[in-house]
Amino acid sequence: MEEDKFCRRCSVVRVNTLCLLYDQGMKEKDDKALEDLKAMVRLAEKRGYKEGNKVLEAGLDSSVVRRLCWNISSLLTDGDFQTRGIKLGN
């Protein structure tokens, strides 16, 4: 039972990180954040989620961004973020 809670918490952290990358990259025009987001989208696409590139559109409603990020994150691991030097949990 504890293991499931841990996995859910990790999933939420990854989703929050992807949403933050979206905000920084699209709203704040942070080039590194946008490149990191694109890399995560490409990785999720290679693993089977073809719709992830929709999160690369500017001006999306936050609920749409969050939904897309949930789907993207379901195909990623903490290691995928760490490989790019993306801090989880900020």
Side-chain angles (χ1 to χ4, degrees), residues 11-24:
S11 294
V12 170
V13 169
R14 287 191 297 268
V15 171
N16 289 344
T17 300
L18 288 168
C19 289
L20 180 62
L21 289 174
Y22 177 86
D23 287 343
Q24 291 173 336

Side-chain angles (χ1 to χ4, degrees), residues 37-65:
L37 180 62
K38 286 178 180 179
M40 297 294 101
V41 167
R42 284 191 301 266
L43 191 52
E45 183 176 27
K46 285 180 187 176
R47 294 178 182 171
Y49 185 54
K50 307 293 185 205
E51 302 297 314
N53 63 354
K54 290 181 180 179
V55 80
L56 301 175
E57 297 174 18
L60 295 175
D61 185 76
S62 62
S63 65
V64 173
V65 171

Side-chain angles (χ1 to χ4, degrees), residues 1-14 70:
M1 187 86 162
E2 271 314 297
E3 192 171 318
D4 288 341
K5 287 182 182 178
F6 178 76
C7 291
R8 263 182 262 142
R9 187 183 80 218
C10 289
S11 294
V12 170
V13 169
R14 287 191 297 268
W70 267 109

